[in-house]
Amino acid sequence: MEETTEFPPRTPYTFDRVVRILFTVCTVMAVVFLLDSLKGVLLPFLVACLIAYMLEPVVRWNMKWTRCTTRFVPVVLTLLEASALIAVSCLILVPYLVTETAEMTVMIKRYATTQIHIPYISSSIHDFIRDNVDFNEISRMLSREEWMSLIKKTLSSSWSFLSSGLAIVLGVLSWLIVVLYVIFIMLDYERIMLSFRQLVPLRHRKRAFQVGNDIKNAMNRYFRGQFLIALIVGILFSIGFLIIGLPMGVVLGMFIGMLNMVPYLQLISLPVTALLCIVCTASSGVDFWVIFWESMAVYVVVQCIQDLVLTPRIMGKAMGLNPAIILLSLSIWGSLLGFMGLIIALPLTTLLISYYDTYVVKRFPAHVTDRAE
């Protein structure tokens, strides 16, 4: 006996419904316009909210092992731990980056003036790279002298305080405001979340909380889960590139980890890796195909670790948004609202999709259908 699926009857488009749809569209457009107008003011607050949201699991862990009922001591410990981690990372990475940048400058100059032959690769490819990439300009930008001259210019222009000093002061104050926002939000995080829930009218709470849970799950998967995966992947790539001796390995590894915030976007770094292999071949005489296939082996090993170990353990079986949808939402909201759009892209996209499933097509979430069965 075949099972038949009965669809709920479609709601007719009455005048009242059309007016509500138009009112909703106008409201969304007004909100986007308001966000664009106030993005300079809202950006520090949103950045602070994102930082507080990312650090909330650490705060809960500190509350658990310190057995504190209040949040003050765990929040202070979390901020100290984050500051110590950032300071140690800077102490380790900054000297390495300075050394690698100087070595990379020499390598680029050598490649720009050296004719090399790589088996199975036409010399016209090297000519194309040299004609379209200004290696002299890149080496000049990476040189220590360029950075020192930039610092000297910044210091020597301090006399023009009346013209540029206000912007500098406002920039410093904006970062201080972000720090204050982070502290205040972390101290009252649970109370703020409860206040948002209590703002919803009683008759709309069931559907609003359902949509809110969808957003919460997507945020947990993307910002927390994917951020942790991207950080580990970046560290693994950096270690792998250091082992095979690829120049600028740590920088490239962290860049790939940053790209991994959108799943599988790290594949666009393959041309950069191949170019670094060519530069390394021209400067140190290493066989191109050896270091290239070693780099590809690093990609394969890290990708296997990510797909077989990290993603199942951190993300679980829950499926987030499709990577194409994530990239599209980041592109659209980023072009509309700049950096602030990148922060709110995923929550807004999830909200729109959940709203469409709940109110337009009246599609039940997976957990609801499973419970009904």
Side-chain angles (χ1 to χ4, degrees):
M1 184 176 180
E2 296 182 358
E3 295 183 359
T4 59
T5 304
E6 295 183 0
F7 295 97
R10 297 180 61 88
T11 306
Y13 284 92
T14 60
F15 178 76
D16 181 65
R17 189 184 181 195
V18 172
V19 170
R20 290 184 179 181
I21 293 175
L22 293 177
F23 179 76
T24 302
V25 172
C26 294
T27 303
V28 172
M29 294 177 62
V31 169
V32 173
F33 175 77
L34 188 62
L35 290 175
D36 184 59
S37 302
L38 300 177
K39 60 183 178 183
V41 179
L42 293 176
L43 182 58
F45 178 75
L46 292 176
V47 172
C49 289
L50 181 60
I51 295 174
Y53 177 79
M54 297 291 292
L55 294 177
E56 179 61 19
V58 184
V59 175
R60 293 183 179 275
W61 182 78
N62 285 327
M63 290 181 66
K64 183 177 180 180
W65 76 267
T66 57
R67 297 181 180 179
C68 292
T69 56
T70 60
R71 294 177 59 91
F72 179 77
V73 174
V75 166
V76 172
L77 287 176
T78 302
L79 293 176
L80 291 176
E81 291 164 358
S83 302
L85 181 61
I86 294 174
V88 172
S89 301
C90 291
L91 289 175
I92 296 175
L93 291 178
V94 170
Y96 169 81
L97 292 178
V98 172
T99 305
E100 282 291 300
T101 301
E103 294 179 358
M104 193 65 190
T105 302
V106 177
M107 289 183 180
I108 290 176
K109 289 181 178 178
R110 191 174 301 171
Y111 174 72
T113 57
T114 303
Q115 296 293 331
I116 63 173
H117 173 70
I118 300 177
Y120 309 108
I121 295 182
S122 175
S123 59
S124 60
I125 296 179
H126 302 292
D127 297 334
F128 176 81
I129 295 175
R130 291 189 177 95
D131 292 339
N132 293 274
V133 179
D134 191 352
F135 289 99
N136 293 325
E137 180 66 19
I138 295 176
S139 61
R140 186 187 66 82
M141 293 174 60
L142 293 176
S143 63
R144 185 178 300 179
E145 291 78 9
E146 180 66 19
W147 289 101
M148 293 301 296
S149 63
L150 180 62
I151 295 174
K152 290 179 180 179
K153 288 180 180 179
T154 303
L155 294 177
S156 62
S157 61
S158 59
W159 59 271
S160 58
F161 180 80
L162 293 178
S163 59
S164 60
L166 183 59
I168 297 175
V169 172
L170 291 178
V172 174
L173 287 178
S174 65
W175 284 106
L176 293 177
I177 291 174
V178 170
V179 175
L180 292 177
Y181 274 144
V182 170
I183 296 174
F184 294 146
I185 293 174
M186 291 178 67
L187 288 175
D188 291 333
Y189 187 86
E190 294 178 346
R191 189 182 304 172
I192 292 174
M193 293 296 103
L194 180 61
S195 300
F196 281 135
R197 295 174 66 90
Q198 291 176 346
L199 288 176
V200 181
L202 288 175
R203 62 175 181 173
H204 298 299
R205 284 188 179 181
K206 183 178 180 180
R207 292 184 176 181
F209 289 170
Q210 178 182 331
V211 174
N213 287 331
D214 292 339
I215 298 175
K216 178 182 177 181
N217 293 333
M219 292 277 289
N220 289 337
R221 285 192 294 266
Y222 184 76
F223 283 111
R224 287 179 180 165
Q226 195 63 34
F227 174 79
L228 183 58
I229 291 176
L231 179 61
I232 297 175
V233 166
I235 294 174
L236 292 177
F237 268 108
S238 300
I239 294 174
F241 290 147
L242 280 177
I243 292 175
I244 66 175
L246 187 69
M248 301 293 289
V250 173
V251 177
L252 180 61
M254 290 303 173
F255 173 69
I256 295 174
M258 183 181 64
L259 291 177
N260 203 58
M261 284 298 294
V262 178
Y264 303 104
L265 190 62
Q266 68 267 26
L267 296 178
I268 68 174
S269 64
L270 289 175
V272 180
T273 305
L275 184 59
L276 287 177
C277 292
I278 294 176
V279 174
C280 183
T281 300
S283 61
S284 60
V286 179
D287 186 85
F288 169 79
W289 291 111
V290 172
I291 192 170
F292 176 77
W293 288 117
E294 288 177 347
S295 301
M296 295 303 102
V298 173
Y299 272 89
V300 172
V301 171
V302 175
Q303 191 65 49
C304 290
I305 294 175
Q306 177 182 350
D307 292 338
L308 300 178
V309 179
L310 297 178
T311 301
R313 288 183 177 271
I314 296 176
M315 306 285 281
K317 296 182 179 180
M319 297 298 293
L321 292 176
N322 185 278
I325 301 299
I326 295 176
L327 186 59
L328 178 63
S329 64
L330 292 174
S331 302
I332 293 176
W333 292 106
S335 62
L336 289 176
L337 301 175
F339 185 74
M340 188 182 72
L342 297 178
I343 298 177
I344 65 175
L346 186 75
L348 286 181
T349 303
T350 307
L351 176 63
L352 293 176
I353 294 176
S354 182
Y355 181 87
Y356 182 82
D357 287 342
T358 304
Y359 295 100
V360 180
V361 299
K362 300 184 183 302
R363 183 187 303 162
F364 291 100
H367 62 274
V368 175
T369 56
D370 295 340
R371 191 183 305 167
E373 293 177 358

